[in-house]
């Protein structure tokens, strides 16, 4: 679905969002002109990006109502309901979206407010909105016809889907597609007077037009804005670096044979070129630790981009970027209690160094305090922090360059999970004399505590 925003974002980059609102001639009056222009731009882009045309391309003009109906259908097909639900619960638990946020409704509004057209790999058809101004048509075409040519050679939907079920890997491949289409569009706009490959390093943000020309996008939560814009902004920088590192467009397509595996490689192209890949991070086994009342909704990777989004939600941008740059791999799992619908999040992150883990521990401890206003039983130790909330317990602990976070369980569950990781016992929970009789029974009776995770529990010893 991110590609559906291609034209809207492309228009924002070119600063033509306002121009796109001009009333275009009726579709019937511009059909012949449109078909001729599309054929001309397709031939120009084929030469420009060194991809021969392998087959004729279907082209059409559609009304806003037809495009809206198409987008709604594609949105239904793009991800199943269970995956969309899991994604929303994950973003809520990480503090990226407010609880019960109307995500689907907002996405529909964002995706339909200003679409100028798109390329559909399923039908291998390019279409354009009948309200797009003639002045914008060829720029719009240059972007999406790049996708059409890439699809003929590399089957872009299958290529992107090959990263599944790794969400971070999928986003990285999206960035290759959208970034290269943005770069090709910029080369087209330069009209033979230069190439993005010849330009110095630049901030793609300077190409952005007025976000106010897309009111639904501008008022969407920051995480949605950033995730929709990431493939274009980070992707065009990545593309420029790859073009510079090789012999231009002909060498660029080696990326399709060896795709980036993470958003980290998109954000830091030198890591892609050096073959630096994230560490494989595994979560502790939950069987016998998390009761059957909890249903696992998803297990996935956040990636450096996702970690940066979490940090930026609570901390200053500069600090967030420094902390996120130490990311070296992660894994999370989101569970939902089938009785009370509470959620449980286990999250393990691998940092590039022990010092990076120490800084992350301090920052994430701050974030957890900001996320939960009502906190009791705070416990702070070197590399260990926990507290209770009215619904559940929250824990973060780091050992060497690994950190493990649990939100939604209790101390017994947390200790068992870190034991599964092979970590040494954690700090002893302070107890009052009246609690001393439960000290020796922490683990022998842990099953009862775990079954009711999220409820107040007695203090336990590691």
């Amino acid at each position: 679905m991110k590609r559906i925003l291609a034209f809207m974002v492309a228009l924002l980059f070119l600063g033509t969002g306002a121009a796109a609102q001009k009333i275009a001639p009726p579709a019937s009056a511009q059909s012949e002109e449109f078909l001729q222009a599309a054929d001309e731009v397709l031939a120009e882009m084929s030469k420009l990006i060194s991809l021969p045309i392998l087959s004729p391309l279907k082209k059409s003009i559609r009304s806003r109502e037809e495009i809206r109906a198409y987008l709604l259908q594609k949105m239904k097909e793009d991800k199943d309901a269970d995956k969309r639900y899991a994604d929303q619960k994950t973003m809520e638990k990480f503090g990226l979206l407010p609880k019960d946020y109307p995500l689907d409704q907002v996405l529909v509004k964002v995706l339909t407010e200003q679409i100028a057209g798109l390329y559909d790999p399923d039908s291998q058809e390019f279409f354009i909105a009948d309200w797009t101004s003639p002045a914008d048509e060829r720029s719009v075409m240059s972007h999406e016809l790049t996708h059409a040519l890439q699809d003929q050679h590399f089957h872009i939907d299958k290529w992107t889907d090959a990263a599944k079920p790794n969400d971070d890997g999928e986003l990285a491949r999206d960035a290759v597609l959208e970034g290269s289409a943005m770069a090709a569009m910029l080369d087209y706009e330069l009209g033979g007077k230069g190439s993005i490959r010849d330009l110095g390093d630049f901030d793609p943000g300077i190409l952005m037009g007025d976000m106010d020309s897309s009111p639904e996008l501008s008022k969407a939560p920051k995480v949605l804005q950033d995730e929709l814009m990431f493939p274009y902004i980070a992707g065009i920088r990545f593309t420029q670096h790859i073009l510079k590192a090789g012999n231009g467009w002909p060498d660029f397509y080696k990326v399709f044979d060896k795709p980036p595996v993470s958003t980290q490689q998109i954000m830091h192209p030198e890591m892609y070129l050096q073959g630096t890949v994230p560490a494989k991070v595994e979560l502790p086994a939950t069987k016998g630790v998390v009761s059957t009342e909890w249903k696992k909704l998803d297990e996935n990777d956040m990636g450096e981009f996702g970690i940066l989004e979490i940090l930026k939600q609570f901390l200053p941008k500069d600090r967030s970027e420094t902390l996120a740059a130490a990311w070296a791999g992660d894994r999370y799992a989101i569970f939902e209690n089938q009785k009370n619908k509470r959620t449980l999040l286990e999250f393990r992150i691998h940092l590039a160094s022990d010092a990076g883990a120490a800084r992350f521990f301090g920052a994430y401890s701050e974030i957890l305090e900001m996320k939960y206003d009502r906190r009791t039983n705070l416990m702070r130790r070197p590399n260990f922090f926990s507290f209770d909330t009215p619904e559940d317990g929250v824990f973060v602990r780091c050992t060497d360059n690994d950190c493990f976070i649990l939100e939604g369980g209790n101390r017994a569950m947390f200790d068992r999970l870190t034991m599964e990781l092979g970590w040494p016992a954690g700090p002893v929970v302070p107890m009052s004399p009246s609690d001393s009789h439960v000290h020796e029974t922490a683990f022998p009776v842990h099953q009862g505590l775990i079954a009711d995770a999220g409820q107040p529990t007695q203090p336990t010893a590691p």
Side-chain angles (χ1 to χ4, degrees):
M1 288 303 292
K2 296 177 184 70
R3 280 201 296 279
I4 290 175
L5 278 178
F7 286 143
M8 183 173 69
V9 175
L11 291 172
L12 284 170
F13 265 83
L14 293 173
T16 59
Q21 300 292 342
K22 295 178 181 177
I23 298 175
S28 59
Q30 63 170 329
S31 295
E32 184 175 346
E33 182 180 351
F34 159 74
L35 293 173
Q36 180 180 346
D39 286 339
E40 291 175 355
V41 174
L42 182 63
E44 291 179 64
M45 297 312 296
S46 172
K47 182 179 180 180
L48 184 67
I49 65 175
S50 302
L51 286 179
I53 301 170
L54 300 183
S55 60
L57 182 67
K58 290 185 284 186
K59 305 172 285 290
S60 64
I61 299 174
R62 300 195 187 186
S63 68
R64 185 182 292 275
E65 291 74 21
E66 290 173 325
I67 290 178
R68 176 179 172 81
Y70 168 86
L71 295 178
L72 289 172
Q73 181 61 34
K74 283 295 181 182
M75 189 171 183
K76 291 178 182 178
E77 298 171 357
D78 187 55
K79 283 185 178 180
D80 61 41
D82 289 344
K83 176 59 175 170
R84 291 202 305 273
Y85 183 79
D87 288 346
Q88 173 142 2
K89 290 299 179 182
T90 299
M91 287 192 283
E92 289 177 3
K93 198 67 174 179
F94 273 115
L96 296 170
L97 286 180
K99 190 175 181 180
D100 299 324
Y101 182 78
L103 182 58
D104 280 359
Q105 296 92 316
V106 170
L107 283 174
V108 169
K109 290 179 180 179
V110 169
L111 294 172
T112 58
E113 72 171 350
Q114 202 177 6
I115 297 297
L118 54 88
Y119 171 73
D120 179 8
D122 291 334
S123 62
Q124 298 182 344
E125 178 182 5
F126 164 71
F127 58 83
I128 200 165
D130 61 8
W131 54 267
T132 303
S133 71
D136 293 332
E137 275 190 354
R138 288 181 180 256
S139 294
V140 165
M141 291 174 182
S142 68
H143 185 109
E144 287 305 297
L145 293 180
T146 296
H147 287 319
L149 290 166
Q150 290 175 339
D151 190 40
Q152 290 187 2
H153 287 263
F154 307 110
H155 309 292
I156 57 178
D157 265 3
K158 290 183 179 179
W159 182 77
T160 305
D161 288 346
K164 290 180 177 178
N166 186 326
D167 288 349
D168 186 54
E170 276 193 84
L171 185 56
R173 294 192 185 207
D174 279 337
V176 170
L177 297 177
E178 297 306 343
S180 59
M182 289 297 299
M185 183 180 71
L186 182 58
D187 279 4
Y188 178 81
E189 289 294 314
L190 290 172
K193 297 179 181 179
S195 167
I196 188 173
R197 184 168 177 258
D198 305 321
L199 301 177
D201 292 345
F202 69 101
D203 177 7
I206 66 175
L207 300 178
M208 287 293 292
D210 184 6
M211 182 71 78
D212 290 339
S213 64
S214 297
E216 294 295 343
L217 181 61
S218 64
K219 67 184 181 183
K222 190 72 169 95
V223 64
L224 296 186
Q225 292 181 18
D226 288 351
E227 187 169 358
L228 291 169
M229 300 297 287
F230 175 83
Y232 308 93
I233 293 177
I236 192 174
R237 288 188 63 253
F238 175 83
T239 300
Q240 184 192 36
H241 276 74
I242 303 305
L243 289 172
K244 283 175 173 286
N247 187 31
W249 286 105
D251 279 355
F252 176 80
Y253 303 114
K254 295 176 182 178
V255 172
F256 286 89
D257 294 325
K258 186 182 179 182
V261 298
S262 70
T263 52
Q264 181 183 60
Q265 291 185 323
I266 297 294
M267 298 164 73
H268 309 282
E270 66 280 2
M271 299 183 78
Y272 170 79
L273 294 171
Q274 295 164 3
T276 303
V277 298
K280 183 178 180 180
V281 177
E282 295 183 355
L283 292 171
T286 57
K287 186 176 181 180
V289 183
V290 177
S291 78
T292 56
E293 292 178 1
W294 295 93
K295 176 185 176 182
K296 183 188 287 188
L297 302 180
D298 194 18
E299 180 175 331
N300 225 299
D301 299 343
M302 289 300 290
E304 182 176 339
F305 170 78
I307 298 302
L308 177 60
E309 287 302 303
I310 296 169
L311 296 170
K312 281 169 51 180
Q313 194 80 6
F314 301 94
L315 304 175
K317 180 181 177 181
D318 290 348
R319 185 183 178 197
S320 298
E321 290 176 345
T322 299
L323 288 164
W327 177 90
D330 78 86
R331 194 73 172 163
Y332 73 84
I334 184 79
F335 298 79
E336 184 177 60
N337 190 295
Q338 298 303 285
K339 289 185 176 180
N340 55 34
K341 297 303 178 183
R342 293 176 182 168
T343 51
L344 181 151
L345 174 70
E346 58 169 342
F347 173 39
R348 184 182 181 188
I349 181 169
H350 185 74
L351 287 308
S353 65
D354 293 3
R359 287 189 291 270
F360 182 85
F361 171 80
Y364 214 81
S365 298
E366 292 179 41
I367 288 173
L368 291 173
E369 288 193 89
M370 286 185 259
K371 281 173 62 176
Y372 297 94
D373 293 333
R374 300 171 64 187
R375 302 180 303 277
T376 57
N377 301 325
L378 270 72
M379 181 177 177
R380 299 182 191 272
R381 297 290 186 276
N383 294 328
F384 182 98
F385 178 55
S386 69
F387 56 83
D388 292 329
T389 76
E391 292 188 351
D392 49 43
V394 176
F395 309 86
V396 55
R397 183 182 172 193
C398 296
T399 296
D400 298 327
N401 59 347
D402 266 338
C403 293
F404 183 69
I405 295 98
L406 179 69
E407 298 180 50
N410 56 40
R411 177 62 191 271
M413 181 188 290
F414 184 73
D415 286 341
R416 281 290 303 278
L417 291 172
T418 53
M419 285 177 64
E420 290 285 345
L421 293 175
W423 290 11
V428 175
V429 178
M431 293 183 298
S432 64
S434 62
D435 293 323
S436 60
H437 67 283
V438 302
H439 184 101
E440 299 298 330
T441 63
F443 283 108
V445 299
H446 75 272
Q447 291 287 359
L449 297 175
I450 295 168
D452 295 319
Q455 302 296 332
T457 62
Q458 293 174 316
T460 63

